[in-house]
Amino acid sequence: MGKEKIKMEYMLKAGSGSIIWNIIGTPSGLETWFADKVTANGKAYTFRWGKTESREAELVGCRVNNYIRFHWCDDEEKKSYFELRIVYNELTEDLMLEVTDWAAPGEEDDVRDLWDSDIEKLKRVSGL
């Protein structure tokens, strides 16, 4: 059975979209909350956690100050990706981070919990 798409929305404190972009759209920004070390070589990204765990991802979509989308190279399901998107509500002037990911059946809660934890760390280290 295929993976299911999951969308999560996280409210952020008032701040500049460019500050948020630097945190989600650059290797150095991603290192502050998502992985211990992030390197980019063109569209090829390497994410490292601790001394032994690493994963390769391909940058498959990006619009500066809007969104960034990656596909894990070891994921056999070609349509799956994870995306971080900045959403601005003009009416309330709130900024939100929308996360899209894919989960295998029965793993949806684990994926949500992992992102909840990562976004809490993002908020803590950035003040957002």
Side-chain angles (χ1 to χ4, degrees):
M1 186 175 267
K3 292 184 173 184
E4 295 272 329
K5 185 191 287 190
I6 300 172
K7 278 196 174 193
M8 298 150 281
E9 297 178 340
Y10 300 94
M11 293 299 298
L12 301 174
K13 291 181 184 173
S16 153
S18 62
I19 292 171
I20 297 168
W21 177 254
N22 285 331
I23 295 168
I24 68 167
T26 65
S28 61
L30 288 164
E31 285 177 0
T32 64
W33 66 277
F34 184 72
D36 296 329
K37 181 75 177 157
V38 180
T39 54
N41 185 3
K43 292 186 174 201
Y45 279 65
T46 302
F47 297 87
R48 288 181 170 62
W49 297 270
K51 293 183 180 185
T52 58
E53 187 179 354
S54 72
R55 284 187 85 184
E56 304 286 326
E58 178 185 3
L59 177 66
V60 292
C62 178
R63 189 156 87 210
V64 173
N65 292 320
N66 189 311
Y67 78 95
I68 191 162
R69 180 184 292 184
F70 295 97
H71 172 76
W72 293 116
C73 296
D74 60 359
D75 191 338
E76 294 176 6
E77 194 146 335
K78 296 300 178 197
K79 71 177 183 179
S80 69
Y81 59 87
F82 73 95
E83 178 181 276
L84 306 167
R85 180 178 296 268
I86 300 168
V87 179
Y88 177 71
N89 184 324
E90 290 183 22
L91 188 63
T92 64
E93 298 184 357
D94 289 329
L95 283 171
M96 191 169 47
L97 185 61
E98 184 179 274
V99 177
T100 304
D101 202 350
W102 295 73
E107 294 182 1
E108 297 89 352
D109 288 342
D110 292 339
V111 169
R112 288 181 197 280
D113 289 346
L114 183 60
W115 279 111
D116 288 349
S117 173
D118 283 342
I119 300 304
E120 279 306 310
K121 185 174 180 185
L122 178 151
K123 289 179 177 181
R124 194 172 54 250
V125 301
S126 68
L128 295 171

